[in-house]
Amino acid sequence: MGKRHSPEQIVRKLRQAEARLAAGATVTEAAREIGISEATFHRWRTQYGGMSSQQAKRLKGLAKENARLETLAAEKE
């Protein structure tokens, strides 16, 4: 399994990549420069594009809490 990035790191890397794209780089070049695959770039852009670091962090926390609650509900049944 690859390296895990925090939501803040993802948002920061997306900003770097967007700046490179604005400067004329291709998606492949921008993704390579920030150390991820092109597929990961597109997935991150879909999930985190346009978010601030705080929003991304909150989303991640809510997803974790939701998973915990689903586990509790499944155990209760």
Side-chain angles (χ1 to χ4, degrees), residues 2-29:
K3 178 181 174 188
R4 296 280 180 179
H5 294 86
S6 72
E8 295 87 356
Q9 290 171 324
I10 292 171
V11 170
R12 193 175 321 113
K13 286 188 174 207
L14 281 175
R15 285 189 187 140
Q16 290 172 353
E18 294 293 342
R20 289 292 298 135
L21 290 172
T26 66
V27 171
T28 305
E29 292 168 345

Side-chain angles (χ1 to χ4, degrees), residues 11-64:
V11 170
R12 193 175 321 113
K13 286 188 174 207
L14 281 175
R15 285 189 187 140
Q16 290 172 353
E18 294 293 342
R20 289 292 298 135
L21 290 172
T26 66
V27 171
T28 305
E29 292 168 345
R32 187 177 300 130
E33 286 182 18
I34 61 172
I36 60 172
S37 70
E38 192 173 340
T40 299
F41 173 77
H42 288 296
R43 188 175 67 246
W44 283 1
R45 188 187 238 179
T46 300
Q47 188 172 5
Y48 294 100
M51 281 190 189
S52 70
S53 294
Q54 290 299 72
Q55 290 171 322
K57 188 175 188 177
R58 185 167 186 271
L59 176 66
K60 188 86 164 192
L62 289 173
K64 186 182 270 189

